[in-house]
Amino acid sequence: MTDSKTPLLDELEKGPWPSFVKDMKQAAEKKPAAADLLNQLELSYKDRIGHWKHGGIVGVKGYGSGVIGRYSDRPDLFPNVRAFHTMRVNHPTGWFYKTDALRKLCDIWDKHGSGLTNLHGSTGDAILLGTTTDHLQPCFDDLSEAGFDLGGSGSALRTPSACVGPARCEWACIDSLDICYQATMTLQDQIHRPMFPYKFKIKVSACANDCVAAIARSDLAIMGTWKGRIQVDPAEVRAYADAGLDIRGEVRDLCPTKCMEWSEADRTLVIHDGDCNRCMHCLNVMPKALRPGKERGASILVGGKAPIVQGSLLSWVIVPFMKLEPPYTELFDLIARIQDWWDENGRSRERLGELINRLGMRHFLKAMGLPAVPQMVKHPRTNPYVFFWPEEIDKKEVK
Amino acid sequence: MSAEIKERVLAYFREKSKGEKKMFYIKDVVKGLPDVDRHAVHEAVKELLDEEALKYWSSGSTTYLMLAEYFPKDA
């Protein structure tokens, strides 16, 4: 027998892992809303049904996104979460905060909300959990004064996000931070004024290690890569071998395209760069010996999404290599054409990848003015799904 | 922005809102005005939102549009 009001939630505190219940209990000591949140969640576990009503209010003055309305369906029992709205705050690119910025953010949320946060949500925003309708505008005003803005929600461009890129990573082939920042600033209207068929996500990874999982999570993925030869330092390659690295087993044999040869006799590594698909495996294993090629840019991929409405999709390449330098005119022109085509042809709640699957990649490429290239395969080492237009086939050869 | 397009957008909402359904996708509105350029419809809707004749309603993942007079009072 226990005196606890939340015996079911208490179970989630057991075990070796940090528990959100513990955090909520700490917040409940200061905030009645957090206490009611705990109690409502306990009821949800008991009833095996959620007790939130979703949707409604969407923002502050001039904004159509950034706030997600949440209401309790049992305000009689839990009056302090009658309204418990979420605010999405556009995170700093690469999630770099100074401590005073974090303190300001927390102070503002202590003043206007439940004090509970989710840093960070899956899109990347700083998620502030739980405030009332009358606090939305004052909270936004305080956030603005502190230099923060709301992020995207609903049928809008969601807050672009990027890996830490050149700020901390030796693999960065592009300035993911600047590209993300410029995308955020250039596309402000699309973030704050939802006018799309559904959500649209842009993520930037500075190399193919793809630390923000852009390939799986974004409608438009910008992924750093290079052209030409991988830079090899033969002395460092030998040093890895001397240190006991099994270069044959751990590097050569795990290369997906088998594009390299390793000679045990003279301890030399030869890379046939023409066969390399720039997966980064060898570079990751021998960072001191191998570096990306000198001519750097990005591959542009489209169509990734998580499994809502239809199943999940991985992105696929539409531009194998784009030189990306400020002001990124070529990139933003392409984004505008993609979004316009999707907006014109997409059904309500149809993501870009689903639309391309429905109409066909060749329709998409024709509309974009992009040539079909071998990199556009649906799955590696299977048939390309880019087909010829009838008028492109020499009829004399078709019997 | 053509006042006529804005008036036609409003007329669309008034007509369609006579039934149970009060919330519409932006694409519904574009389809409802087939002779008007899609971008012009978007601009008209944005102005009507600024004027608070229309309001956004969002579930968090999807955004709808509705006449302000039908926006739920508890939302």
Side-chain angles (χ1 to χ4, degrees):
Chain A
M1 198 63 188
T2 174
D3 293 334
S4 171
K5 291 180 181 174
T6 57
L8 296 173
L9 290 182
D10 294 348
E11 290 296 314
L12 298 176
E13 287 187 283
K14 297 174 183 172
W17 308 107
S19 170
F20 70 95
V21 175
K22 186 178 173 187
D23 285 347
M24 286 166 64
K25 284 182 176 177
Q26 283 177 353
E29 290 171 9
K30 292 194 293 184
K31 295 278 188 176
D36 270 5
L37 177 67
L38 264 176
N39 294 331
Q40 177 170 303
L41 188 59
E42 178 74 14
L43 183 65
S44 290
Y45 274 77
K46 188 179 168 201
D47 294 348
R48 298 187 180 191
I49 189 169
H51 282 290
W52 292 115
K53 291 190 291 181
H54 286 228
I57 199 159
V58 293
V60 293
K61 192 161 178 58
Y63 282 51
S65 63
V67 173
I68 298 126
R70 297 280 182 263
Y71 301 87
S72 171
D73 73 355
R74 294 302 307 268
D76 53 325
L77 296 177
F78 312 112
N80 295 304
V81 291
R82 176 184 299 275
F84 198 75
H85 309 312
T86 294
M87 296 185 83
R88 287 188 183 166
V89 178
N90 194 324
H91 59 287
T93 306
W95 297 280
F96 288 105
Y97 294 91
K98 285 162 68 177
T99 49
D100 66 332
L102 275 174
R103 283 197 188 93
K104 274 183 199 166
L105 193 63
C106 292
D107 287 346
I108 290 167
W109 197 233
D110 274 338
K111 180 180 170 188
H112 292 290
S114 71
L116 291 166
T117 64
N118 171 15
L119 266 67
H120 295 84
S122 56
T123 295
D125 296 298
I127 309 289
L128 307 181
L129 296 162
T131 190
T132 53
T133 306
D134 58 329
H135 270 280
L136 288 173
Q137 188 66 44
C139 184
F140 172 73
D141 294 342
D142 285 351
L143 286 168
S144 297
E145 200 174 313
F148 289 98
D149 195 3
L150 294 183
S153 65
S155 302
L157 175 66
R158 301 302 179 84
T159 311
S161 68
C163 68
V164 296
R168 294 192 65 189
C169 180
E170 59 194 309
W171 299 137
C173 295
I174 51 173
D175 189 343
S176 52
L177 302 169
D178 188 49
I179 294 164
C180 181
Y181 179 74
Q182 296 302 335
T184 304
M185 300 309 287
T186 304
L187 306 172
Q188 279 284 296
D189 193 56
Q190 298 181 2
I191 295 172
H192 299 310
R193 307 294 297 263
M195 282 291 153
F196 287 150
Y198 200 22
K199 64 183 85 167
F200 192 95
K201 298 183 180 183
I202 297 175
K203 297 189 190 297
V204 192
S205 283
C207 79
N209 283 328
D210 195 11
C211 287
V212 288
I215 196 167
R217 304 194 303 145
S218 59
D219 299 273
L220 189 125
I222 300 160
M223 202 171 296
T225 190
W226 68 91
K227 266 184 175 178
R229 303 182 72 83
I230 292 173
Q231 300 181 72
V232 182
D233 183 337
E236 288 292 348
V237 172
R238 284 193 292 276
Y240 273 108
D242 291 343
L245 177 66
D246 177 8
I247 293 180
R248 178 180 300 280
E250 298 294 329
V251 182
R252 192 205 72 163
D253 290 352
L254 294 180
C255 172
T257 61
K258 310 295 180 206
C259 75
M260 55 185 64
E261 296 171 36
W262 167 244
S263 167
E264 294 284 2
D266 54 9
R267 294 186 304 159
T268 55
L269 184 72
V270 176
I271 300 175
H272 303 289
D273 292 89
D275 293 333
C276 171
N277 67 0
R278 300 172 301 285
C279 76
M280 303 274 304
H281 170 72
C282 58
L283 286 83
N284 291 332
V285 179
M286 298 195 291
K288 287 183 180 174
L290 306 177
R291 306 196 67 79
K294 288 182 178 171
E295 190 180 353
R296 300 178 184 187
S299 296
I300 311 297
L301 301 88
V302 294
K305 65 177 281 291
I308 302 175
V309 184
Q310 291 184 28
S312 58
L313 294 171
L314 281 180
S315 302
W316 55 105
V317 172
I318 58 162
V319 179
F321 189 86
M322 182 184 282
K323 195 87 180 161
L324 282 183
E325 287 169 350
Y328 313 110
T329 307
E330 189 181 1
L331 174 68
F332 289 127
D333 284 351
L334 179 64
I335 291 173
R337 292 204 303 279
I338 290 171
Q339 290 177 334
D340 200 54
W341 181 79
W342 170 57
D343 188 35
E344 183 173 358
N345 296 286
R347 295 171 177 160
S348 295
R349 301 195 74 206
E350 185 174 48
R351 296 284 288 272
L352 176 63
E354 294 160 352
L355 173 63
I356 294 173
N357 272 348
R358 179 164 64 83
L359 295 187
M361 178 56 104
R362 62 176 174 167
H363 287 274
F364 173 75
L365 293 177
K366 195 172 191 182
M368 294 304 109
L370 292 170
V373 292
Q375 287 89 341
M376 296 170 187
V377 292
K378 196 165 188 178
H379 304 288
R381 291 170 291 284
T382 59
N383 290 336
Y385 68 129
V386 178
F387 302 101
F388 291 104
W389 291 93
E391 62 270 23
E392 290 173 347
I393 300 172
D394 184 347
K395 288 185 178 146
K396 289 176 189 169
E397 294 179 6
V398 180
K399 301 283 183 183
Chain B
M1 172 54 55
S2 157
E4 185 206 336
I5 297 175
K6 281 166 64 178
E7 191 46 52
R8 286 184 62 191
V9 169
L10 277 179
Y12 170 88
F13 275 95
R14 289 191 196 108
E15 178 62 28
K16 293 289 182 182
S17 301
K18 284 179 181 169
E20 290 274 308
K21 189 176 168 185
K22 309 293 183 196
M23 299 188 296
F24 304 93
Y25 294 118
I26 181 68
K27 291 194 79 75
D28 296 336
V29 187
V30 170
K31 270 188 206 162
L33 282 73
D35 58 319
V36 182
D37 175 71
R38 171 168 52 93
H39 304 95
V41 175
H42 286 192
E43 288 307 311
V45 166
K46 282 179 186 175
E47 286 200 13
L48 289 165
L49 286 161
D50 289 340
E51 294 164 10
E52 300 191 351
L54 296 179
K55 290 201 90 163
Y56 284 117
W57 189 100
S58 174
S59 65
S61 70
T62 311
T63 305
Y64 301 83
L65 296 159
M66 66 194 309
L67 286 169
E69 64 210 70
Y70 293 122
F71 191 75
K73 288 191 172 51
D74 66 344

